[in-house]
Amino acid sequence: MAEQTSAEEERDLKLNDELRHDYGPSLRRDEFDALLIYSMSVSVDGFIADREGGFGWTVPDEELFRFHLARVRELGCHLCGRKLYETMLVWETDPSLRDTELDATFADVWCALPKVVFSRTLDSVQGNARLAEASVAEEVAAALAATGKDVEIGGAGLAATAIKLGLVDELRMFRNPIVVGGGTPFLPPVTEDVPLELIETRTFGSQVIYERYRRIRVDTD
């Protein structure tokens, strides 16, 4: 099932980007002060979903959930793959997820956040979202230009495209204390090294470890 999900995400991206397997000069425009961030919960062995496509082991406790709330509140836009968009849509459509004050606050923040959804199978999207109309590089540039805040990108297939195009500035991983042995990987295979700097770590009471890496960009002039 995980392999099928990855195939679906790759199919969804084909109409939105001409993928160039280029790990050379970044396509990122340096005039943007805001960052493009790829953040997901992962297993110790680097998977965001297991071999059956499950990710129930990523459910946060209250401490981590409050951290996610503060993080999402600081974003100016979210670029979503189809599967991630559909997974998170419940925060906009399911009233039962507003049963507590904390959940209601997160739902309000998520609903208010502008989103761009990359899909070739969806005809429409709900809430404060729109379907992507241009390439990944162009949509990233537009999102960064439209806000002074950081932009997050999510969904393994979509993020893989952005990483391969050199667009992602930071990787933020929430490493869960579990080994799943296979599934959907957090990172795509690359043909050249991508140098990173570890700029922040934090261990939560649930033993989830937050790792924040910034890409080291080499001056090619």
Side-chain angles (χ1 to χ4, degrees):
M1 183 178 294
E3 289 78 5
Q4 181 180 4
T5 298
S6 297
E8 290 176 352
E9 289 179 345
E10 290 181 4
R11 179 194 62 190
D12 284 348
L13 288 170
K14 286 180 180 178
L15 287 188
N16 298 103
D17 197 70
E18 295 180 2
L19 178 58
R20 296 190 294 170
H21 295 281
D22 177 10
Y23 303 90
S26 170
L27 297 181
R28 193 191 191 292
R29 295 168 56 189
D30 292 335
E31 64 264 30
F32 298 126
D33 293 328
L35 302 174
L36 181 66
I37 297 162
Y38 174 36
S39 179
M40 297 286 287
S41 293
V42 303
S43 63
V44 167
D45 49 345
F47 296 95
I48 64 173
D50 61 29
R51 285 166 290 184
E52 286 71 44
F55 48 88
W57 39 271
T58 68
V59 175
D61 64 4
E62 181 174 332
E63 179 193 21
L64 183 52
F65 190 74
R66 289 185 181 276
F67 186 86
H68 284 307
L69 171 60
R71 181 178 60 81
V72 174
R73 183 177 268 147
E74 295 300 313
L75 298 175
C77 183
H78 201 293
L79 310 180
C80 308
R82 175 191 54 80
K83 185 173 179 59
L84 178 61
Y85 163 74
E86 292 177 338
T87 298
M88 295 296 293
L89 189 59
V90 293
W91 288 102
E92 305 194 44
T93 60
D94 187 350
S96 70
L97 294 183
R98 294 177 173 270
D99 285 348
T100 70
E101 181 179 357
L102 183 59
D103 287 345
T105 301
F106 182 85
D108 288 341
V109 170
W110 181 256
C111 289
L113 181 65
K115 304 167 201 66
V116 180
V117 182
F118 289 76
S119 176
R120 64 175 297 181
T121 58
L122 296 177
D123 296 322
S124 63
V125 290
Q126 301 180 49
N128 191 14
R130 66 171 179 83
L131 287 170
E133 300 175 350
S135 70
V136 172
E138 290 170 324
E139 291 287 3
V140 167
L144 290 169
T147 178
K149 297 182 177 182
D150 293 338
V151 173
E152 190 164 288
I153 190 166
L158 177 60
T161 301
I163 290 169
K164 291 172 181 178
L165 293 174
L167 302 174
V168 175
D169 298 297
E170 285 193 7
L171 302 174
R172 299 184 182 181
M173 308 166 64
F174 294 85
R175 196 176 295 276
N176 289 253
I178 187 172
V179 173
V180 298
T184 304
F186 174 69
L187 293 171
V190 297
T191 57
E192 295 182 9
D193 293 345
V194 180
L196 303 171
E197 177 186 9
L198 177 63
I199 59 177
E200 184 180 357
T201 62
R202 172 174 173 176
T203 302
F204 294 89
S206 59
Q207 300 184 354
V208 171
I209 300 175
Y210 174 55
E211 304 171 22
R212 181 182 172 196
Y213 297 90
R214 181 162 295 176
R215 178 173 176 171
I216 299 174
R217 297 194 178 276
V218 180
D219 188 356
T220 57
D221 293 340

